[in-house]
Amino acid sequence: MVDTKTQYHKIKTAVDAAVIEVLESSVFIGGKVVATFAENLAKYHQSKYCIPCANGTDALQIAMMALGLQPGDEVITPSFTYIATVEVAALLHIKPVFIEVDAKTFCIDPAAIEKAITPKTKAIIPVHLYGQAANMEAIMQIAEAHHLFVIEDNAQGIGNDFIFSDGSTKKTGSIGHIGCTSFYPSKNLGAYGDGGAMFTNDDDLAIKLRMIASHGQSKQYYHDVVGCNSRLDAVQAAILDIKLKHLDAYIAARVKAANIYDNGFANNKKITTPFRDTNNKHVFHQYTLLLEGVNRNELKQFLADKGIPAMIYYPIAAHQQKMFDAFGGNSYQLPITDWLTERVISLPIHTELDEEQQQFIIANVLEFVNQ
Ligand SMILES: Cc1ncc(COP(=O)(O)O)c(C=O)c1O
C-alpha cells in the first residue's frame, strides 16, 4: 500500500547523516534533536505546543488523561474509525458513545453529536478519516454550546487545512483543545518506527500533557499525577525532522495520485470515488472507493493475484467489536457505518506511485468491476 523504501532512498543522504549524528551524540532519549523537531512541527502545525510521545494511541490516551476525564464519563466518537481512537477510552473506563459518520465524508456527523450528548458527556473525538477533515466548525460550535472538550484524532490528517466559512484556515489537529497524531511508518508523516505527538494552544494543558507522558513528573523524581512512559526517541525525531520538510510535497504527490484515480474511475456506476468536501483540502492518507454491486473480497483477491495490494479500512466498525460488548456496543443502530464497512476498499496511495502503476491498478479494478 505504501513504498517507504523508494521514499527513503530519495532522502537517504540526509537521513543517514542525521541518524549517525544521533548515534555519535549518544543522546537517544530526549535532548536537542527531539526538542528541535517538536518546535519545527509546532510551527508547521500552527500550534503553540507540540508534545511528542511514543505513538498515536498513547497521544489519545494522554489527551484524555490531561483533560481529567474520569471513569464513567462519556466521549462521543465515530464508530467508523481505527480501533485506537476508542480503545483508549475504554482502557480508562470512559464510555465511548458511538455515533454515525456522514455518508459522503466518512467523518463524524455533527448532527448526530447533539443527539448523543448526555449529562455525562465530557468530550467529542472527531477523526479526520483517510485524510479528509471532519467538520470542525460545526463541531467546535456544538462543543462550546455544551462545554465539551474536543480531541482531534489527526493520525490520518496531518498537514490538512480546515477552511472556516469566513475563509480563514487552520491546520487540522490545531482546532480542538488537543490534537493527536501518529508517525506510524505508513502515515503521511511517517517515522521509521513508532511515534506520535499531541498539540495544544493551552499553556496548562501543555504542562499536563508533558507531565503525564513522563511518569506524571513535574521535575525529576517528583511525580505529581499518575502518568505513563511515552517518549519519541531521538533517532525517530531526527528522521521526522527531515521528512517534515517534505511533508507538503508528500501531500501534493498523494493528491496528484488521487486525481489520477478519480479520472480513471469517473462515471462508473458501481464506483464512488472519494468525496472532497470544500471545507478542507483532503490529504489522502487513504484513497478509498465505495463499491455498489461488486463482490469486494473477490476484487481484493483478483487484485492480489495481479500483485496489487488493496485493504479494507475497516471491515468491522468499533461498535461491532467484541471488546465493546461490555459497553453495549452491539445495541447501537448505525446503518451508515455498517453500510460503509461492507462497501469500502482502499487502493495503494503514496508518494512514489507513478502514472504507469496507477493505470495498471485502474485497468485491473475496472476489468473486475465491469465484468
Ligand atoms: C485514526 C487513527 N487513530 C489512531 C491511530 C493510532 O496510531 P499509532 O498506530 O501510532 O498508535 C491510528 C494509526 O494507526 C489511526 O489511523
Side-chain angles (χ1 to χ4, degrees), residues 39-56:
E39 232 169 77
N40 291 340
L41 183 56
K43 213 174 286 166
Y44 172 88
H45 206 268
Q46 301 159 358
S47 296
K48 193 165 175 189
Y49 301 101
C50 165
I51 296 109
C53 63
N55 54 64

Side-chain angles (χ1 to χ4, degrees), residues 344-357:
V344 288
I345 189 162
S346 300
L347 299 179
I349 189 155
H350 53 82
T351 58
E352 311 306 318
L353 269 180
D354 63 37
E355 180 144 9
E356 200 181 325
Q357 289 172 313

Side-chain angles (χ1 to χ4, degrees), residues 276-346:
R276 303 187 195 201
D277 210 336
T278 50
N279 64 11
N280 75 106
K281 73 178 191 199
H282 205 323
V283 291
F284 283 100
H285 174 58
Q286 300 297 344
Y287 184 87
T288 304
L289 299 175
L290 198 53
L291 302 174
E292 204 54 67
V294 178
N295 186 322
R296 183 179 61 172
N297 293 336
E298 281 181 16
L299 168 61
K300 190 168 181 284
Q301 189 55 53
F302 178 83
L303 295 175
D305 292 343
K306 305 283 176 82
I308 302 168
M311 291 291 286
I312 315 282
Y313 303 119
Y314 299 93
I316 305 173
H319 74 283
Q320 304 275 18
Q321 300 284 354
K322 255 196 201 150
M323 72 155 75
F324 290 118
D325 282 358
F327 290 88
N330 40 26
S331 65
Y332 285 88
Q333 300 293 321
L334 301 174
I336 297 171
T337 296
D338 292 339
W339 179 77
L340 288 173
T341 54
E342 287 160 16
R343 285 169 180 77
V344 288
I345 189 162
S346 300

Side-chain angles (χ1 to χ4, degrees), residues 55-58 60 81-82 84-85 127 129 153 155-156 181-184 187 194-196 285 314:
N55 54 64
T57 308
D58 278 7
L60 289 157
T81 182
Y82 182 56
T85 316
V127 181
L129 199 74
D153 183 341
Q156 301 187 7
T181 203
S182 161
F183 304 126
Y184 186 79
K187 293 289 190 264
D194 272 314
H285 174 58
Y314 299 93

